[in-house]
Amino acid sequence: MSDIMMSHWKLFSIIVVCLQISVVLSSKQHNDPIVTVKEGKVKGSLGYLVDGSPYYSFKGIPYASPPVGNLRFKAPLPPRPWKGIRDAIDFGPICKQFNITYQGDEDCLFINVYTKSLNKGAKLPVMVFIYGGSFTQGSGNFFLPDFLLQHDVILVTFNYRLEVLGFLSLETPDVPGNAAMKDQVAALRWVQNNIAQFGGDSNSVTLFGESAGASCVSLHLLSPMSRGLFHKAIAQSGTYDLVQAVGAKERAFRAGKILGIETNDVLVLLDYFRSLNANALTNLTAATFTPDEIYRGLPAKFLPVVEKTFPKVEAFLNEVPEKLLLEGKVNRVPLMIGYNSGEGLVIVKYHVTRLDVYNKEPSFYVPREIVEKITKKQLIDFGDRIKRFYVGNRNITENDLNTICDMQTDINFAYNTHRFAHLYTELCESTYMYRFNFDTDLNVLKIALGLTNLKGASHGDELFYIFYNYLNERAYQSQEKLKNIVYKVTKLWTDFAKTGRPTLDNHLGAIWEPYTIEGKEFFNIEEPFSLGHYADKQRMQFWDELYTEAGLLHISGK
């Protein structure tokens, strides 16, 4: 693995490696429940939540056929039926990925269901989670239900294909791109077809995700394939800005050259890719960086794409997101969206190692989507203005860690969250925005990064207030105040899943009001909880000026 890749992905390695320790779910497997889904019968297990209450888990259920052989890179096919009773006691394999070592399997399209009731008339609200991991690593297996199920909802997690295997685009009918996004659609269709058998309400499905998973949620809001498959959405620290409108096919050929084939023929390239061991088709993101990508933007590069249109090929996304938003082509459901106050903590240490480059060429701070719209002269000017806004007329130093964090938070997460909330609200009434700022012993990633001396909640920290696992178990069990905080945070998420509103009364000391164009309301998720207006206003106004000058959709107007 390259030095660049190691630096960029330190956080993601921590997440996946550490969470793998927490996969073993403490449960008593007796009175094993049996449920009939469309393809056959599945046997799950009885377990006990952290609060001692019983629940049922069904793990490793196929929601699509194995995407192997000639199905590699293609949209998923429906799952195959089986005879007899299939065990759903153990997790299915995670999708093929590289994280320190090669892991997972191509046969990985499995779904997990956690529920406290198997009464078909229970009609419990359903929450379907999409994991993050820069589209290169992660799994739904690592997110356990203990905190959320205390509020009487059903949690569904699943695996989707990653990196080249999930996002290769050759701009052909066979491989138009977005196979992983179509995996997610297949999982949502499976939920519609089967969740009633687990006590769930197929008419009350909340799709939520974090980081790359949140980017996916924002795209499901725009995709015609996803229409009617969910009824509420939560996007945690991510929007559609990672979409690859151009350049995906060129990256595929660069990957081919790295793997030993130099050709200009997409069919030859495809045959070669299908002949390779799946391990070869991981760990290629940094290897395919252009010189500009080494320093600009987040490391994710095998991404959702705007597909070319082909006869009899259903596209997940065939228009750029901005156009869909302008034309009002969205799946209009209530939206909860937000970011963490210190998202940029995940990038701070990497950034410090390359301060000489950024101080000399601050134009690398300019986001890719702006670069594509401006001249080289403007690019230099924008870079200088960004540097000057954050530190004045001097270079950034190792003593500016909080400033670096704020800058990276704004560039990669905060402004795009504001922008999406604003644009979506212009089309739909029910948008709720938050800023997560808890800083406790549950901030597992901030602690792992060794940055507890800095302010804010890191990228990914809110996950440990929503999902129980080995990494937060000790702190949660030993501190009553943390149990109280977790209950309040998860109640916000589950109240939204139940009603489309994250607070129904004043039990937190404040009511979370909807975002409006005029007030830019947001909820401070910290003690004390409070309603605010225009989070990080001065910094957001600066970025809005740049987006306006670049002619992009922005907050202050179209």
Side-chain angles (χ1 to χ4, degrees), residues 50 441-442 473-488 527:
V50 68
D441 287 341
L442 292 180
E473 178 182 18
R474 179 176 294 182
Y476 178 82
Q477 294 284 18
S478 64
Q479 300 180 47
E480 286 300 317
K481 69 174 184 179
L482 295 184
K483 293 180 181 179
N484 186 45
I485 290 171
V486 164
Y487 186 86
K488 290 177 179 178
E527 292 281 14

Side-chain angles (χ1 to χ4, degrees), residues 89 213 262 264 305 317 325 344 364 407 449 457 466:
I89 294 172
E262 195 160 0
N264 294 319
V305 297
L317 189 72
L325 279 169
F364 281 124
M407 179 190 298
L449 289 166
I466 298 172

